[in-house]
Amino acid sequence: MFTAKEKPLEQIQKPNTPCFHCGVECVTTAISKDDKTFCCEGCKLVYEILNENGLCDYYALQSHPGLSQIKGIRADKYAYLDDKAIANKLYTFTNGKHSIVKLYIPGIHCSSCMWLLEHMTKLNDGITESRLNFGAKELTIHFLESKISLRKIVELLATIGYEPYISLDANEEQKKSPASKKKIYKLGVAGFCFGNIMLMSFPEYLSSDLGIEHQYAQLFRYLNLALALPVFFYSASEFFSSAWAGLKQRMLNIDAPIVLALIITFGRSIYEIATNTGSGYLDSMTGIVFFMLIGRIVQERAYKSISFHRDYKSYFPIAVNVIKDGVAKPCALQELKEKDIVELHNGEIIPADAIVLDGVANIDYSFVTGESEPVNIIKGNIVYAGGKQTGEKLKLQLIKPVAGSYLTSLWNHYSFSKDKAEQNNKHSVIHKLSRYFTIILLSLATLTAMYWYVVNPANILPSVSAMLIVACPCALLLAASYTNGNILRLLSNNGLFLRDATVIEQLGNIDHIVFDKTGTLTAGSNQYSFSGHALNEQEKAVLYNIAVQSTHPYSKSLASHLGAYPKIELTSWNEIPGKGITASYNGDSIRIGSAFHTGVVPSEKDTAAVYIRYNDSVTAFHITPEFRDNIPNLIPKLAHNYQLSMLSGDNDRQRGVLTDIFGSRATLLFEQKPMDKLRYIELLQQSGKKVLMVGDGLNDAGALQQSNVGITLSDDINNFSPSCDAILDASKISKFSSLLRLANAAKHIINTAFVISILYNVVGLTISMQGLMSPMIAAILMPISTLSIVMISTGISSIVAKRHGLSLIG
């Protein structure tokens, strides 16, 4: 039997400390047990089991004492999963007996996590299978409903340190998303057919030397035609669909000339094989499709596991406890009604605007408004949707439905109705070039046909078909696809994940960067200090006993900074909401609170959050949000190449510090509401600016959507980020300047590839128009030139990344 060690488990701050079990460095918080440091709960469990009981002792894992209780989790937290209607929406499959659920587990990061989660079957015999997608942090569990419920599975995961993040909105999006396997199947078919067609074409290429017999040559030609059919009608279908969609909108996109080349090569091949005049160009046609599909799949892989399209539903719980007849029962969010009485616990998000009926609300609105300090709200006052309770249990009465709350009004703004990806595609340089390319190519082909019609009609078909084959824009498109795909890979390796390749081009056009402050420039932690009258130990003890009785966040910060002191009996104590505390002890008069409450006249540069008047002595207590590492070094680098602005929902206490960082040319605006930020972006765009917005919370969602490029800074790239064009890993923010330079270089690399492609086409077209290039030679030269341009463009992008100090390997 497994025996628990005596020393308790504790959370400690040990950044960059290697885990005792797996060796992975602990990024911020580590777990300490028996003087050993572990990066996660999983490593601690696996180490103890393997250390004391031998390898793969599953009974030891089952009997681990930690599995008998849910550590740090409220017993009824996941009670809503007992509701069949809610549970059914989370299942990917269920027949009433056997069910499958896919859960996102943010805490996965090492081999021990994988070992534990893939052996869930050993923890409960109701779980028949558990498979982990390590990259996407998704755990797929098959289970028998007669033996274990979804709620028990989630509680079991939370018990062993892998509490899942459950979002109904994310689950719905997952069900809507088409399987990417379809494109892989298309690539497989194209690759198989292309390889075999090339193999059977060699005798045709070398027929003059080998003297291949006529009947075998015809056999190979018909076999090649049979292999080309699935490529043309199945693998190339998305190119036809895209070109047709463009034509319906009266636009010639980059797929239009590709489709034209496919039709010409396929049609000419059928003609030659049927008339026994040649072998056609099926190798070129299948090669175009194969390499184009590779380029598109390479681009998709960089961002397929990250969600860039989230609205407010992603941040709300699936259900909350509603009090009916004195009993709290789980209720799905969409079923909440006005006047429902809701029970809210510490750390939970307010689902709709409501009135506080019972308890003291200490609401953190930073994710909604940008204001970094929690707001203390007493009974009878209104709290707004999206705020997070950071204190005791609350009882609220809803005054609006979820869809009518303040938070959802952010998503009613017209900026959210715009499809930025579609707009970026329409204005893409590649699509503009392809439009002119197609028009010029068709014009030259028409002139060539007219010329040979007069001079020698027999040369019309060979000349025009050779032109259309040799001038296929696949060199340009493949160069763009592979360059963008490589840059997407390089950016993601260094912490910047883009929604799609069109964002790279938009980043290259940016000339103004707007930063949010709270959570973006600041790290979410604070620095504390005193100024003025130096407090002695007796005064600190009295102040601690005064502050510790208040639930106001400033009082809590003051008490925490002072440290623990023995309890003393105060003579009097009175708190005035919105002003401060008045107290007395042994004849001493003490006031803690605002400048007005304490009788202080602050100077213009005074940055104090709280003032303390102890009799006639005044002490200022400063609460300064701590900036993320490298922000003071990063901002001046960006200022050399971009105009900068900073928007904050906070007051201007840090104006002086921020002016030193941003410089005098930057615009600093404070006390900005979400709509103020959005309007500021609009004004910049109306003046001709191309704006990049960097934010982190729902309060930035409108501005992120309105900007030309919206980047969300996130400490967890797979979780809690509003709708955006890109997600930047907060730990890699020091590389932001280099990442922007690489994205900007992509434009020049693709332009270079385009110039090379144009030169190649000019030479090829000149020869073809004179009827001097056979279609066979054109078919051979096309893939050679295309591959050479692709290799040059992708190689240059890797060299540029290395020059800017970026990692080439993730």
Side-chain angles (χ1 to χ4, degrees), residues 580-647:
I581 305 170
T582 302
S584 61
Y585 174 73
N586 281 351
D588 292 329
S589 175
I590 305 102
R591 286 176 177 264
I592 303 174
S594 65
F596 178 79
H597 181 67
T598 54
V600 176
V601 180
S603 65
E604 289 185 4
K605 295 184 179 180
D606 202 336
T607 61
V610 176
Y611 294 93
I612 302 165
R613 181 176 287 278
Y614 204 107
N615 292 324
D616 294 326
S617 302
V618 176
T619 302
F621 180 53
H622 303 269
I623 303 175
T624 307
E626 190 173 354
F627 287 100
R628 293 184 184 273
D629 292 340
N630 298 306
I631 285 294
N633 296 325
L634 170 67
I635 299 299
K637 289 181 183 177
L638 295 174
H640 286 300
N641 301 307
Y642 304 94
Q643 289 182 270
L644 302 179
S645 296
M646 192 284 302
L647 308 178

Side-chain angles (χ1 to χ4, degrees), residues 197-198 201-209 279 283-284 776 780:
I197 288 173
M198 287 293 293
S201 294
F202 273 108
E204 188 77 31
Y205 297 153
L206 306 174
S207 58
S208 60
D209 297 325
S279 60
D283 47 357
S284 297
M776 175 66 75
I780 294 172

Side-chain angles (χ1 to χ4, degrees), residues 37-276:
T37 301
F38 300 95
C39 64
C40 65
E41 184 87 8
C43 275
K44 183 189 77 68
L45 290 179
V46 173
Y47 167 75
E48 289 175 335
I49 293 162
L50 301 186
N51 186 44
E52 298 189 7
N53 302 89
L55 291 172
C56 297
D57 189 341
Y58 299 118
Y59 178 76
L61 180 59
Q62 277 185 298
S63 60
H64 191 287
L67 300 182
S68 61
Q69 59 178 345
I70 303 174
K71 293 173 281 186
I73 297 176
R74 205 176 70 250
D76 65 342
K77 181 173 182 179
Y78 293 107
Y80 64 85
L81 293 176
D82 288 333
D83 187 323
K84 285 289 183 183
I86 294 174
N88 285 336
K89 291 179 180 179
L90 296 172
Y91 294 147
T92 55
F93 169 84
T94 183
N95 60 10
K97 295 180 181 179
H98 184 265
S99 298
I100 303 174
V101 65
K102 187 178 288 184
L103 299 170
Y104 171 63
I105 316 289
I108 296 170
H109 71 289
C110 69
S111 58
S112 295
C113 305
M114 184 181 296
W115 187 89
L116 271 177
L117 295 174
E118 293 204 334
H119 289 87
M120 293 285 290
T121 54
K122 305 297 181 180
L123 298 180
N124 190 294
D125 59 5
I127 299 175
T128 58
E129 183 182 352
S130 61
R131 285 187 294 179
L132 177 66
N133 182 334
F134 190 84
K137 299 188 177 182
E138 288 179 342
L139 179 66
T140 302
I141 297 177
H142 299 237
F143 66 98
L144 301 173
E145 291 193 48
S146 59
K147 293 189 176 183
I148 189 170
S149 65
L150 178 59
R151 176 185 176 181
K152 293 297 181 185
I153 289 174
V154 171
E155 289 178 344
L156 178 60
L157 287 167
T159 296
I160 58 177
Y162 298 100
E163 185 174 3
Y165 165 64
I166 300 175
S167 166
L168 191 59
D169 180 64
N171 187 265
E172 289 171 350
E173 286 298 318
Q174 187 184 72
K175 290 180 180 178
K176 291 177 187 176
S177 301
S180 59
K181 289 182 180 179
K182 191 173 182 180
K183 192 169 285 186
I184 299 294
Y185 294 152
K186 289 181 178 180
L187 175 65
V189 170
F192 173 80
C193 296
F194 171 59
N196 282 280
I197 288 173
M198 287 293 293
L199 184 65
M200 287 188 285
S201 294
F202 273 108
E204 188 77 31
Y205 297 153
L206 306 174
S207 58
S208 60
D209 297 325
L210 298 178
I212 186 169
E213 294 181 13
H214 175 73
Q215 65 268 28
Y216 293 118
Q218 277 299 99
L219 173 63
F220 287 144
R221 289 171 183 176
Y222 280 108
L223 286 174
N224 284 347
L225 180 59
L227 286 169
L229 291 174
V231 177
F232 186 80
F233 290 104
Y234 175 65
S235 297
S237 59
E238 67 179 70
F239 302 113
F240 287 98
S241 299
S242 174
W244 177 243
L247 289 174
K248 286 195 294 185
Q249 297 178 7
R250 298 182 179 181
M251 181 183 74
L252 287 173
N253 59 27
I254 193 64
D255 287 328
I258 292 289
V259 165
L260 183 61
L262 293 178
I263 292 173
I264 294 296
T265 51
F266 188 66
R268 176 69 186 268
S269 299
I270 292 175
Y271 170 77
E272 289 192 4
I273 293 171
T275 59
N276 197 24

Side-chain angles (χ1 to χ4, degrees), residues 133 136 180 299-308 498-499:
N133 182 334
S180 59
Q299 289 186 23
E300 286 181 358
R301 290 186 66 85
Y303 50 83
K304 67 175 184 176
S305 64
I306 300 175
S307 175
F308 293 91
L498 306 189
R499 186 193 63 240

Side-chain angles (χ1 to χ4, degrees), residues 542 545-546 549 568-575 581-591:
V542 174
N545 278 272
I546 294 172
Q549 297 184 48
I568 60 176
E569 292 295 329
L570 299 172
T571 307
S572 65
W573 187 94
N574 180 46
E575 184 171 18
I581 305 170
T582 302
S584 61
Y585 174 73
N586 281 351
D588 292 329
S589 175
I590 305 102
R591 286 176 177 264

Side-chain angles (χ1 to χ4, degrees), residues 454-486:
V454 175
V455 178
N456 185 359
N459 283 344
I460 293 176
L461 186 60
S463 297
V464 171
S465 59
M467 282 182 64
L468 293 173
I469 293 170
V470 79
C472 171
C474 59
L476 168 62
L477 189 52
L478 279 174
S481 296
Y482 278 80
T483 301
N484 285 335
N486 193 41

